Amino acid sequence: MSERHLFKSSEGLVDKCLRGIIAYNPSLGLDESNRVVFDTLHDPSKVSIISGGGSGHEPAWSGYVGENLLAASVQGDIFASPSTKQILSSIESVPSKAGAILVITNYTGDCLHFGLANEKANARGHKCRMIICGDDVSLGKKGSLVGRRGLAGQQGVLKVLGGAAGAGGSLDQVYDLGVAFSQQIVSIAATLDHCHVPGRAEHATLGADEMMIGTGPHNEPGYKKLSPTPSPQDLVKQLLQYLLDETDPERGYVHFAPGDETILLLSNFGGMSHLEMGALLDELLEQLDANWGGMVPVRIASGFLETSLNAPAFSVSIANVTATARNCPAYSAEDIKNFFDAKTNTQWESMTGLQSRNRRPRREQIVQEPALPREPVDDARDIKVAPEKLERMVRDACTALVAAEPDLTRWDTVMGDGDCGETLRTGANCLLAAIDEGLAKRGSTVAVLQEVEEILEGKMGGTLGGVLGIFFVAMRTALEDNVALAKSEGGVPKLWAHAINASLENLRRYTPAKVGDRTVVDTLIPFAQGIASGGFEGGLKAAIDGAEATKRMKPRLGRATYVGTGADSDKELPPDPGAWGAMVAIKGLLQGL
């Protein structure tokens, strides 16, 4: 876990955070002494939905105060319940003729303080109810008197209740809906590591090859430690088994009949990248459809629903909308979906984006680009090589690139953005796959170059992919236009030297790179010159020397020029990864030759 924080201490951090949160919405007010965020425009004729808990779970709950969601929220210290006085202040901040509903997660401190505030509020003449949400399935039914722990499924309850209250539902109607919906949610979390509290010295950690499932949002230990860590596919399979296997006597909390409409909530605990969360959501949807009766959620919310500071963790929640409607006569499944869709002026909107009442099947959203026919190879303009030799050359070059990837990535991480090795490995693996499918069987050099062009255009991005794409297109054209050179004095090396020089000349139209600038051309230009004067052996030696020379060059082009790392007179840098990768590929090709 990361122990580094911009604010080194939690002292004053919650108050400062609340002042920042209300700044985005001018309709919000802050009772700073009680840490209550409230909606100054709340309609007193409508039910007030109020929630809260310990801080560190932002945007829960202060980020959800606003139209069609919370009327008020109340925050405690980090991972600590707010006091009874604070909660009473939140009720007073949004007086309602219709009444108020306190919605909390099932933790002892919250239950006690919100419960006492509920009693006092009713004694003072308020119409107040309380709903305790427990949705975590991991701990099971045995050995615990407190019931299920609260996870991010509560945020789905808040969203539905906020929509119902905003639509003018009565206290009884909204309360009954909240109880029914909260009972139809199953949730579970998985953690790669614990979070770290600013200023705190003691904290739990997980090993590099360990993870927990069944964790809570307060650094609690999980239900089960997994080591080694499973693949994402296996992890999702396990989590869905815990959530949806109704034959499990410990965790069969909710029944999902075929055709029941469901809502999926995927909550980032704070430390997961958007990239991985998107991939995780895709995996969840694929497995729900394939392995759980074709379950396709009718609504999805994904993002920072309820966090745990900077924890690299997430939770999955599934709610049964159809079953909720069966247990709540006042509202239909369509009503519940409408409440979930109700637009707010809160941070909730960043989790759900545009909700459509007529969701298209995912298969219709994903469009596959039609394969374009490849340009036919003109045998008269081709260079034929013995198929076994051509295959060996390509395999040796690709295998060498794949083996070099860790070094290339490490060097590019020091001097650039770290993608060079992975870009070259991706291209090499794609070309190896094409060789496995028989690409070299005709002995056609042009066919291999066409495949390289397709890989560069479709699979390899980044600056290097663009440079090589221009280089190879021009080189293939030059080979085809000058194939007669292969029959002249100097033969095939002369043809390749001419083609490479022509492609380098074309490349100069798009980049000013030249020898000495510490780029891939520090290998390519010497290689072309070496072939012209000394054949393939001379070209290889020149390529190796060119790549080695980059260790002593100051970067003049590319991202390496931004990082403040240059060659000092007494310091040798790592080689330029693009130049080194080109040299590795050339060396592999000529070894195969």
Side-chain angles (χ1 to χ4, degrees):
M1 85 178 73
S2 174
E3 299 178 20
R4 300 188 62 186
H5 301 279
L6 184 63
F7 294 88
K8 307 301 183 184
S9 167
S10 60
E11 183 82 21
L13 189 55
V14 173
D15 298 328
K16 196 168 184 63
C17 172
L18 293 176
R19 292 197 296 271
I21 284 176
I22 67 165
Y24 76 92
N25 185 347
S27 69
L28 297 182
L30 172 63
D31 173 0
E32 190 167 10
S33 63
N34 288 300
R35 293 175 173 170
V36 172
V37 174
F38 59 96
D39 184 3
T40 62
L41 302 181
H42 177 67
D43 186 346
S45 70
K46 294 180 179 180
V47 173
S48 298
I49 308 298
I50 300 171
S51 189
S55 295
H57 302 300
E58 291 72 23
W61 290 261
S62 49
Y64 296 144
V65 178
E67 182 182 6
N68 291 324
L69 227 168
L70 294 182
S73 73
V74 55
Q75 303 290 140
D77 288 326
I78 295 176
F79 298 163
S81 170
S83 69
T84 302
K85 177 180 178 294
Q86 289 177 262
I87 300 163
L88 282 169
S89 295
S90 72
I91 299 170
E92 299 285 355
S93 70
V94 281
S96 170
K97 299 174 185 177
I101 302 176
L102 306 177
V103 187
I104 64 169
T105 50
N106 187 22
Y107 288 94
T108 302
D110 291 331
C111 293
L112 292 174
H113 286 288
F114 276 89
L116 179 55
N118 180 60
E119 295 296 326
K120 283 181 170 289
N122 281 295
R124 293 180 183 181
H126 295 284
K127 293 185 289 185
C128 195
R129 306 276 183 88
M130 188 167 84
I131 298 174
I132 300 173
C133 299
D135 50 313
D136 185 6
V137 303
S138 64
L139 301 180
K141 301 174 183 177
K142 295 180 181 177
S144 175
L145 299 177
V146 298
R148 292 196 281 166
R149 176 171 52 190
L151 288 176
Q154 184 224 17
Q155 309 311 324
V157 178
L158 297 180
K159 186 63 181 71
V160 169
L161 291 194
S170 70
L171 181 64
D172 288 338
Q173 289 173 328
V174 178
Y175 174 79
D176 290 344
L177 173 61
V179 172
F181 192 79
S182 67
Q183 292 173 346
Q184 296 297 325
I185 303 175
V186 285
S187 300
I188 195 168
T191 301
L192 296 170
D193 204 352
H194 296 279
C195 67
H196 185 259
V197 180
R200 191 171 295 178
E202 297 297 324
H203 51 84
T205 60
L206 289 175
D209 202 21
E210 295 179 333
M211 72 178 305
M212 285 265 194
I213 58 174
T215 39
H218 305 124
N219 264 347
E220 309 100 312
Y223 161 70
K224 184 179 182 181
K225 182 183 287 187
L226 303 178
S227 182
T229 56
S231 68
Q233 294 77 15
D234 287 341
L235 175 62
V236 168
K237 183 178 180 180
Q238 289 189 51
L239 297 181
L240 291 180
Q241 190 76 22
Y242 283 123
L243 290 173
L244 300 175
D245 181 9
E246 296 171 32
T247 66
D248 183 347
E250 283 292 292
R251 296 172 186 83
Y253 288 98
V254 175
H255 172 64
F256 293 89
D260 280 355
E261 292 188 306
T262 59
I263 290 175
L264 172 65
L265 308 174
L266 178 59
S267 181
N268 188 337
F269 271 34
M272 301 288 292
S273 70
H274 288 282
L275 181 68
E276 287 194 280
M277 289 296 287
L280 178 61
L281 177 58
D282 178 67
E283 184 63 32
L284 283 163
L285 293 173
E286 284 190 358
Q287 291 198 30
L288 283 171
D289 190 13
N291 304 331
W292 295 97
M295 183 182 291
V296 179
V298 295
R299 297 291 185 272
I300 298 167
S302 177
F304 299 103
L305 289 167
E306 180 182 329
T307 63
S308 180
L309 294 176
N310 62 350
F314 64 90
S315 68
V316 182
S317 304
I318 302 174
N320 191 328
V321 176
T322 305
T324 299
R326 283 197 296 265
N327 297 330
C328 182
Y331 296 117
S332 66
E334 198 63 31
D335 291 329
I336 296 170
K337 290 185 291 183
N338 289 340
F339 297 150
F340 190 83
D341 292 343
K343 289 300 176 185
T344 79
N345 55 356
T346 74
Q347 293 182 34
W348 175 269
E349 300 307 313
S350 65
M351 305 329 147
T352 56
L354 178 64
Q355 289 289 351
S356 170
R357 299 188 180 194
N358 299 303
R359 291 180 62 85
R360 293 167 58 199
R362 286 210 321 144
R363 293 182 183 88
E364 292 181 10
Q365 291 182 278
I366 301 172
V367 178
Q368 297 295 334
E369 181 182 12
L372 298 176
R374 180 173 294 180
E375 180 183 348
V377 176
D378 183 351
D379 288 340
R381 304 175 69 206
D382 196 5
I383 302 172
K384 297 293 185 179
V385 180
E388 63 277 6
K389 181 183 291 187
L390 183 60
E391 177 172 342
R392 186 170 62 249
M393 291 171 64
V394 176
R395 280 195 185 279
D396 285 357
C398 292
T399 302
L401 275 176
V402 171
E405 181 273 324
D407 285 337
L408 299 178
T409 297
R410 185 172 68 253
W411 297 335
D412 197 34
T413 301
V414 172
M415 298 297 298
D417 55 4
D419 69 339
C420 178
E422 293 179 357
T423 297
L424 290 173
R425 182 187 63 190
T426 296
N429 282 330
C430 289
L431 191 53
L432 283 171
I435 288 291
D436 290 340
E437 294 175 2
L439 175 63
K441 286 183 177 179
R442 291 176 52 204
S444 170
T445 301
V446 169
V448 171
L449 290 175
Q450 285 180 337
E451 184 69 29
V452 171
E453 289 173 33
E454 285 198 13
I455 292 169
L456 286 165
E457 291 176 14
K459 302 292 185 181
M460 294 174 63
T463 302
L464 185 59
V467 168
L468 293 179
I470 295 169
F471 178 82
F472 274 96
V473 168
M475 185 169 68
R476 175 173 67 86
T477 301
L479 284 172
E480 290 178 311
D481 290 346
N482 297 277
V483 69
L485 284 175
K487 299 178 181 178
S488 65
E489 185 179 353
V492 173
K494 184 176 181 179
L495 171 61
W496 279 100
H498 176 82
I500 295 170
N501 275 315
S503 60
L504 287 169
E505 188 63 35
N506 191 64
L507 191 60
R508 290 189 185 99
R509 296 164 56 191
Y510 302 96
T511 174
K514 59 184 183 299
V515 170
D517 288 342
R518 190 180 159 91
T519 70
V520 67
V521 303
D522 283 297
T523 292
L524 297 179
I525 290 177
F527 177 55
Q529 295 171 342
I531 289 180
S533 60
F536 287 132
E537 289 186 5
L540 175 59
K541 182 179 184 306
I544 294 173
D545 290 345
E548 287 281 354
T550 62
K551 297 177 180 178
R552 299 177 296 279
M553 294 177 186
K554 181 178 178 62
R556 294 196 183 98
L557 291 171
R559 286 187 176 88
T561 61
Y562 310 143
V563 300
T565 304
D568 301 325
S569 57
D570 58 348
K571 180 180 178 182
E572 188 174 273
L573 296 173
D576 177 73
W580 196 268
M583 180 271 289
V584 166
I586 290 168
K587 189 174 182 180
L589 277 171
L590 297 185
Q591 283 178 340
L593 179 65

